Amino acid sequence: MTLPAPADPESGSGPASGRSRDGRDTRWEQHREQRRTELVDATIRAIRAHGAGVGMDDIASQAGTSKTVIYRHFGDKAGLYRAVADRIDQRVYRHVAAALSAAGPSGDLRLVVASTVEAYLSLVESDAEVYRFVVNRPLVDRPLAEDPVEATTNRVADLLLATVTLAGDPRRARLRAIALVGSVQAVANDWLSSPSRLPRGDVVEVLTDLAWRGLGAMLSEPAAPERPRGPTT
């Protein structure tokens, strides 16, 4: 007996509802996930070629498919934007994590801050149009339930707090870490748009000095040695 061919995921049809999963279902799920990855790759190439204001026609042309197929995989333009933002979030996280790891467990908070700032700025400078695309959201025409940029801020701040030990109220420490990452993002936006921007090293130095004033005061200090007691009577 000849089994019916599984549905083509690009056609919009799929396994029948309620049918038990089998190897073919798993293969098609893997195929769909691979196709989504390829479409995100194509979108990033289109952004680099056409700039942060890239349109869906440019993206579809770069992907060698139609807008209909792209919407079928991501739901709408906002879904495609979120997929690209998630990819960049993972890249930022890995880049900053590697920089913090390279800084080592020396306890030198200033070095940790400088490494975080340098890692972030070097990444956005090397892929400026993709960064602008994520921050400016040209494809999104409605409010998002979750802000991918805010999610990246939180993840990097948590990573920073996991690397250094700050004294005092943990809630205040997290606020300062969020303020550091947020200030780096704000400066990066202005820095990239400046026609005569400072060298990246100068920006790292300015931001590190600024952050040091806020975070340096919260370094965990060793307990003061106990004072010798006077003679008892």
Side-chain angles (χ1 to χ4, degrees):
M1 181 178 66
T2 303
L3 293 174
D8 181 352
E10 297 273 303
S11 71
S13 58
S17 176
R19 193 184 71 189
S20 61
R21 294 171 56 85
D22 59 21
R24 289 177 299 162
D25 295 341
T26 301
R27 286 195 298 273
W28 281 122
E29 285 185 6
Q30 293 172 345
H31 175 85
R32 284 190 291 269
E33 187 60 34
Q34 180 182 350
R35 187 65 176 131
R36 282 174 57 90
T37 298
E38 292 170 351
L39 291 172
V40 171
D41 291 342
T43 302
I44 291 174
R45 290 196 302 271
I47 295 168
R48 289 168 178 162
H50 300 281
V54 66
M56 288 301 300
D57 288 331
D58 295 322
I59 293 172
S61 176
Q62 180 69 57
T65 189
S66 67
K67 290 187 290 185
T68 301
V69 167
I70 295 175
Y71 294 145
R72 189 170 294 140
H73 282 277
F74 296 98
D76 54 15
K77 291 186 290 186
L80 176 61
Y81 163 78
R82 282 193 298 269
V84 173
D86 287 345
R87 173 78 65 83
I88 302 308
D89 171 78
Q90 294 168 18
R91 187 184 300 169
V92 169
Y93 188 88
R94 290 195 304 267
H95 205 66
V96 173
L100 292 178
S101 178
S106 62
D108 185 343
L109 179 60
R110 190 181 181 89
L111 176 60
V112 169
V113 171
S115 298
T116 303
V117 174
E118 166 65 26
Y120 190 91
L121 292 182
S122 65
L123 184 62
V124 303
E125 186 180 31
S126 67
D127 219 349
E129 291 303 321
V130 175
Y131 176 79
R132 290 189 181 101
F133 175 88
V134 172
V135 171
N136 297 327
R137 311 177 198 176
L139 294 183
V140 180
D141 54 6
R142 59 180 174 78
L144 296 175
E146 296 181 0
D147 182 355
V149 176
E150 181 181 345
T152 299
T153 300
N154 289 329
R155 275 166 47 84
V156 173
D158 289 342
L159 182 61
L160 178 62
L161 288 173
T163 305
V164 298
T165 302
L166 299 178
D169 187 340
R171 295 170 299 179
R172 289 178 177 269
R174 189 172 190 280
L175 283 178
R176 295 187 186 222
I178 290 286
L180 168 60
V181 179
S183 67
V184 174
Q185 289 175 335
V187 168
N189 295 344
D190 179 75
W191 177 59
L192 288 178
S193 64
S194 174
S196 57
R197 61 178 185 244
L198 286 170
R200 188 174 72 241
D202 291 355
V203 181
V204 171
E205 181 180 359
V206 169
L207 284 171
T208 301
D209 287 342
L210 181 64
W212 181 250
R213 298 176 186 275
L215 292 178
M218 297 187 68
L219 273 174
S220 293
E221 298 178 356
E226 186 178 353
R227 295 182 179 179
R229 297 180 181 177
T232 58
T233 56

